[in-house]
Amino acid sequence: MTRLTGSALRVTVFVGEHDTWHHKPLYSEIVHRAHAAGLAGASVFRGIEGFGASSLIHTSRLLSLSEDLPVAVVIVDDEERVRAFLPQLDELVTEGLVILDGCEVIRYVGRGDEKGNPGAKGKKSL
């Protein structure tokens, strides 16, 4: 289990929803490689509209000419681990944007990590 608090580095990778790596979604390959590298966590967010270097607007609106929506993969870990992962992103991301920014982790707790409740499955909302 990775413990993470205090100063950290966030890498955000912006790619297209239809970008692939060896016939599988690129965002999925990034997440699986981050997991294999032991990084603290990764999440994928699907955008509803955006444009990049091509200046072509991608949107989810009906009657749109483009359906290749923007996707952001966000990974947070300590700086050393994130920077060690960058060569993999360099290999994977042939079109897109990769940014780094410093952040501070206030709380990072996985399921079952709550004190006094080792079997907790997390809070459930109604």
Side-chain angles (χ1 to χ4, degrees):
M1 155 74 60
T2 301
R3 298 266 183 216
L4 183 64
T5 56
S7 294
L9 196 61
R10 174 176 47 205
V11 59
T12 306
V13 183
F14 295 96
V15 294
E17 176 179 40
H18 293 151
D19 291 347
T20 60
W21 177 261
H22 296 271
H23 308 291
K24 79 185 249 191
L26 177 58
Y27 60 84
S28 181
E29 181 68 16
I30 294 169
V31 167
H32 284 85
R33 285 196 186 194
H35 184 260
L39 294 174
S43 297
V44 179
F45 301 93
R46 183 178 186 219
I48 58 172
E49 191 165 18
F51 72 94
S54 69
S55 293
L56 177 65
I57 294 180
H58 303 274
T59 181
S60 63
R61 287 181 284 153
L62 195 60
L63 304 175
S64 165
L65 295 176
S66 172
E67 295 178 354
D68 187 22
L69 296 173
V71 172
V73 182
V74 179
I75 301 167
V76 177
D77 206 323
D78 67 44
E79 182 171 355
E80 182 179 325
R81 294 172 76 121
V82 169
R83 290 199 183 276
F85 186 67
L86 293 180
Q88 291 197 57
L89 292 179
D90 190 46
E91 174 190 357
L92 293 170
V93 181
T94 58
E95 292 181 7
L97 174 66
V98 178
I99 62 171
L100 294 172
D101 52 344
C103 61
E104 184 177 353
V105 175
I106 304 299
R107 181 172 165 86
Y108 179 67
V109 179
R111 291 188 179 144
D113 285 352
E114 294 289 336
K115 290 182 179 178
N117 194 3
K121 295 281 187 184
K123 296 179 182 176
K124 298 195 190 249
S125 57
L126 299 175

